[in-house]
Amino acid sequence: MASHVRILATLCALLPVCVTPTAGFADSPPASAPRYSIALIIDDLGNRRLPGESVIDLPGPVACAFLPDARHTPRLAGQAHARNKEVMLHLPMQAASHGPAMPGELRLDMGRRAFMDTLRAAIEAVPHLSGINNHRGSLLTRHPGHMAWLMEFIRERGSLFFVDSRTTAATVAQQLAGEFGIPNIERKVFLDNQRDSETIAAQFRRLLAIARRDGTALGIGHPYPETLALLRHELARLDQYNIELVPVGHLIEIASRRTATWQASLSR
């Protein structure tokens, strides 16, 4: 058995991402083992009250991302803030697939003034705001000009971070955030693009594996019963994996320090 564990550990070190059963992380780490960090965002909040309250009740600093024009957004955002959860704007952006615009959506055919007015209204609709991530946006996040307008506005606001949800591999949103000096990070794992419990569990294990490989990892999920059930069970077990759940803003700080350390070591 011990030889099998050593072989598995060697494979995890060699593979880009090693996905193992959650129980494989549960062995007590040595006292000198580094501590890894993850952050979680639950998207699409505000349309329904009870799922939103279930997210707010999750243990730890799970960030809550609210749609700007959803009926329950103001009330739920206030509840999340009172429970020390980060409140985020889940900002609608145009997708590559054709379809009618959703309320508050930023679109490619908007001029600068309409874009800024729509963005301002979305930000003002969500109280206690800490950061922004994109809802859809597989078309808009490809376009540097529109992303520059977005980052210009966020920079003028002065206190928000940006999360690139990476709904397309062609996104330039995080790159533009960095160029404008905005604290930023990208999504590494979608927990529940498929809503069956086994797939969600596998995606959560993948998130932990990436954190153990890179030091940090950000996951995004939705207020589905299957997702919330897994998180209620697994978030209480993170200490067993030598992994901590931190706010998104703190994860950005940790990742930035790791990048600066890595760059300094390369320069030496």
Side-chain angles (χ1 to χ4, degrees):
M1 179 65 181
S3 63
H4 291 166
V5 172
R6 287 195 296 271
I7 291 170
L8 181 59
T10 301
L11 289 173
C12 284
L14 294 174
L15 291 172
V17 176
C18 179
V19 178
T20 61
T22 309
F25 289 110
D27 299 329
S28 297
S32 59
R35 192 159 178 82
Y36 309 101
S37 302
I38 64 169
L40 291 168
I41 302 170
I42 303 298
D43 280 348
D44 292 353
L45 299 181
N47 283 322
R48 296 186 296 160
R49 180 177 61 84
L50 292 179
E53 291 177 347
S54 295
V55 172
I56 293 168
D57 286 339
L58 287 171
V62 177
C64 301
F66 293 94
L67 294 165
D69 288 287
R71 174 184 176 186
H72 299 288
T73 283
R75 177 181 175 182
L76 288 172
Q79 292 178 5
H81 178 70
R83 296 283 294 276
N84 295 316
K85 309 283 189 184
E86 281 173 320
V87 173
M88 296 180 60
L89 165 62
H90 194 37
L91 182 61
M93 298 187 192
Q94 187 175 1
S97 57
H98 296 290
M102 64 180 298
E105 183 175 275
L106 300 176
R107 297 184 63 85
L108 193 59
D109 58 3
M110 285 180 167
R112 177 185 171 90
R113 180 172 181 177
F115 185 99
M116 292 300 195
D117 287 346
T118 303
L119 176 57
R120 183 177 296 106
I123 286 178
E124 291 175 353
V126 183
H128 312 294
L129 206 58
S130 295
I132 295 172
N133 73 326
N134 54 292
H135 173 60
R136 305 199 302 181
S138 55
L139 177 62
L140 197 71
T141 59
R142 301 178 190 182
H143 289 268
H146 288 69
M147 290 301 97
W149 290 348
L150 171 63
M151 302 311 165
E152 177 186 336
F153 191 99
I154 295 175
R155 183 174 64 183
E156 291 176 357
R157 177 88 179 200
S159 60
L160 300 177
F161 58 77
F162 178 78
V163 174
D164 190 343
S165 300
R166 290 195 61 82
T167 54
T168 172
T171 177
V172 296
Q174 186 186 23
Q175 175 187 337
L176 267 293
E179 291 177 6
F180 276 79
I182 296 163
N184 65 86
I185 199 166
E186 67 175 10
R187 181 271 312 164
K188 291 296 185 182
V189 173
F190 277 126
L191 296 178
D192 49 17
N193 276 354
Q194 299 181 44
R195 278 187 60 180
D196 66 277
S197 297
E198 289 186 4
T199 300
I200 294 170
Q203 287 296 90
F204 187 77
R205 294 193 297 268
R206 183 167 179 262
L207 180 71
L208 301 188
I210 293 172
R212 291 174 71 93
R213 182 193 70 186
D214 297 342
T216 60
L218 172 68
I220 292 179
H222 300 83
Y224 304 142
E226 301 89 342
T227 304
L228 301 186
L230 177 128
L231 293 179
R232 290 188 198 100
H233 181 261
E234 292 294 342
L235 292 183
R237 294 157 48 91
L238 288 179
D239 278 344
Q240 300 177 39
Y241 319 141
N242 200 32
I243 289 175
E244 61 178 346
L245 176 67
V246 301
V248 178
H250 186 40
L251 193 77
I252 292 172
E253 294 175 3
I254 295 171
S256 297
R257 289 198 299 267
R258 291 179 66 89
T259 300
T261 301
W262 177 73
Q263 290 175 339
S265 66
L266 282 182
S267 66
R268 288 197 297 269

